[in-house]
Amino acid sequence: MIAKLTGTARNKALSEIKGWSKVRGRDAIEKTYRFKDFNEAFGWMTRVALAADKADHHPEWANVYNRVEVVLTTHDAGGVSERDIALAKLMDKWAGKAGK
Ligand code: HBI
């Protein structure tokens, strides 16, 4: 059972990821990525999806053409955990400048 992040650990973790904001009304974080086109967006989603599934930690996300809206939270923990921070970092790394 994974614990959700709280207090200074949560603040520290959130400070390490750029462009992510807190979701109103639930313990989750969100970010919108904008890629060059659908091919770039969906290619990225495919790569992230396979890594996420391997880690058994899945994003909530929606895609419209070049835009991908992502929400991360850990259902098992009832909030944001280290798993979300790790996935956010991977998403940012693989998004390159689309993640700025
Ligand atoms: N994905 N985001 C997220 N949060 C979870 O708690 C989670 C998940 N994927 C699979 C998973 N939990 C499993 O541990 C079981 O809940 C099926």
Side-chain angles (χ1 to χ4, degrees):
M1 179 66 178
I2 178 120
K4 68 176 186 179
L5 287 164
T6 58
T8 53
R10 188 175 194 279
N11 289 337
K12 181 176 177 293
L14 293 180
S15 77
E16 291 168 2
I17 51 173
K18 301 295 165 213
W20 290 84
S21 17
K22 295 172 194 168
V23 175
R24 269 164 145 279
R26 63 186 289 216
D27 190 353
I29 53 173
E30 68 186 346
K31 182 170 181 173
T32 298
Y33 293 88
R34 283 182 185 75
F35 295 86
K36 181 167 69 79
D37 54 22
F38 179 78
N39 188 294
E40 295 282 324
F42 202 76
W44 175 82
M45 289 179 82
T46 304
R47 290 183 284 278
V48 168
L50 297 176
D53 195 44
K54 214 175 248 181
D56 196 24
H57 192 65
H58 303 90
E60 299 173 22
W61 54 6
N63 161 242
V64 179
Y65 186 56
N66 67 332
R67 196 175 77 235
V68 184
E69 297 171 357
V70 181
V71 172
L72 298 180
T73 189
T74 302
H75 309 124
D76 293 350
V80 175
S81 77
E82 285 292 355
R83 285 183 197 157
D84 300 301
I85 305 301
L87 184 54
K89 286 178 179 173
L90 184 81
M91 286 178 158
D92 283 345
K93 190 167 83 175
W94 288 357
K97 65 176 168 42
K100 51 171 178 19

